[in-house]
Amino acid sequence: MPLLDHVHAPFSLEHHWESFHSNWATRIADALSDCLPPEFIAEEHAHAGPNLEIDVATYERTSGRPDALPNGPQVATAAPPTWAPPAPAKMMPAVFPDTFEVRVLSTVGGLKVVGAIELISPSNKDRPEERRAFATKCASYLHQGISLIIIDIVTNRRANLHNEIMRLMDAAPDLNLPPETDLYSVAYRPVLRQGQPKIDLWFATFNVGGALPVMPLRLTGDLFVPVDFEATYQEACRRRRLV
């Protein structure tokens, strides 16, 4: 299945790229679930637009309370006092980047993210602040020792986000991709080698009409799983009836 141009006609007229990216993330998570060891799970996460995701939620407890017994008398309880902080001292503009990613988590000792796969969106490559926000997110994963893969199939923006990540991390210039590289994937493996923190990198480039690569995702130590972007892309296209 040759790589299609999803952000230009005719495909952009038939399907929103957000829907395809979300579907592709699900196919990647499904494929990983078939090959991950039992102590790991894969989950897709998709978020586009200016709305914020809430990571910590407060839930109203509706059962197990003495004042909410179904067959007994209702006991009057005082509502907890409400509290509001003072007005903020300052306010700054912010960018919350689009997210189309698959996270791999270890279930040993509680859920812990050990790997992430980022599907780059057109918005991620648009303005300088969007590119910086995406690079900051990726650099944060790497600084935490989390393995990372990024893949870019966006054809209507020229920015190279791998190079943005390298600039943010003050990496050597020879770790950059050529500036004319538009479509690519990079895998990153943080590792402690001879007492020194290092990051191994694998590169793959491709073009519209070509095949997508298989990239390595490190889970822990020297345990890797292959991420077959071509097979999962074909499945995503099949489910969207693009083939």
Side-chain angles (χ1 to χ4, degrees):
M1 174 70 203
L3 175 63
L4 305 175
D5 186 345
H6 292 269
V7 294
H8 291 108
F11 300 106
S12 63
L13 303 178
E14 299 174 0
H15 295 278
H16 291 104
W17 66 262
E18 297 96 333
S19 175
F20 184 83
H21 267 53
S22 178
N23 179 41
W24 191 15
T26 298
R27 304 308 142 214
I28 294 171
D30 289 345
L32 283 172
S33 296
D34 290 338
C35 66
L36 286 173
E39 66 271 24
F40 297 94
I41 61 173
E43 295 182 342
E44 69 270 37
H45 292 259
H47 169 71
N51 295 327
L52 297 183
E53 291 181 331
I54 306 301
D55 291 327
V56 180
T58 301
Y59 296 90
E60 180 181 2
R61 196 174 175 187
T62 58
S63 64
R65 289 171 42 183
D67 60 337
L69 297 177
N71 299 318
Q74 299 299 306
V75 179
T77 59
T82 58
W83 179 85
K90 298 288 183 179
M91 182 175 62
M92 61 178 287
V95 174
F96 301 98
D98 287 353
T99 295
F100 296 90
E101 72 177 5
V102 177
R103 299 175 191 165
V104 176
L105 302 97
S106 170
T107 61
V108 177
L111 293 178
K112 176 185 176 182
V113 178
V114 297
I117 302 165
E118 297 286 337
L119 310 181
I120 293 171
S121 77
S123 175
N124 295 150
K125 297 174 67 173
D126 188 8
R127 296 173 295 162
E129 56 267 32
E130 295 278 359
R131 299 194 291 269
R132 185 167 55 250
F134 179 88
T136 299
K137 176 184 179 181
C138 293
S140 176
Y141 275 141
L142 296 175
H143 283 307
Q144 295 176 70
I146 295 172
S147 298
L148 174 69
I149 300 175
I150 64 173
I151 185 164
D152 187 352
I153 65 167
V154 176
T155 57
N156 64 340
R157 300 284 190 274
R158 296 297 302 273
N160 189 298
L161 293 183
H162 164 74
N163 292 353
E164 290 279 345
I165 297 169
M166 294 296 97
R167 278 193 289 272
L168 185 65
M169 299 182 71
D170 292 326
D174 64 350
L175 296 178
N176 287 343
L177 287 167
E180 66 273 11
T181 304
D182 294 326
L183 307 181
Y184 58 90
S185 181
V186 184
Y188 310 81
R189 176 210 188 186
V191 62
L192 194 64
R193 187 170 288 126
Q194 296 179 343
Q196 297 296 318
K198 304 289 184 180
I199 297 178
D200 296 331
L201 298 95
W202 293 262
F203 301 92
T205 61
F206 42 85
N207 296 294
V208 171
L212 295 174
V214 176
M215 300 296 287
L217 180 67
R218 192 277 307 271
L219 302 179
T220 181
D222 291 326
L223 178 60
F224 286 79
V225 290
V227 179
D228 192 335
F229 285 115
E230 177 64 19
T232 53
Y233 178 80
Q234 289 183 19
E235 179 64 9
C237 287
R238 186 186 69 79
R239 289 179 177 267
R240 287 294 182 265
R241 295 188 291 183
L242 296 176
V243 292

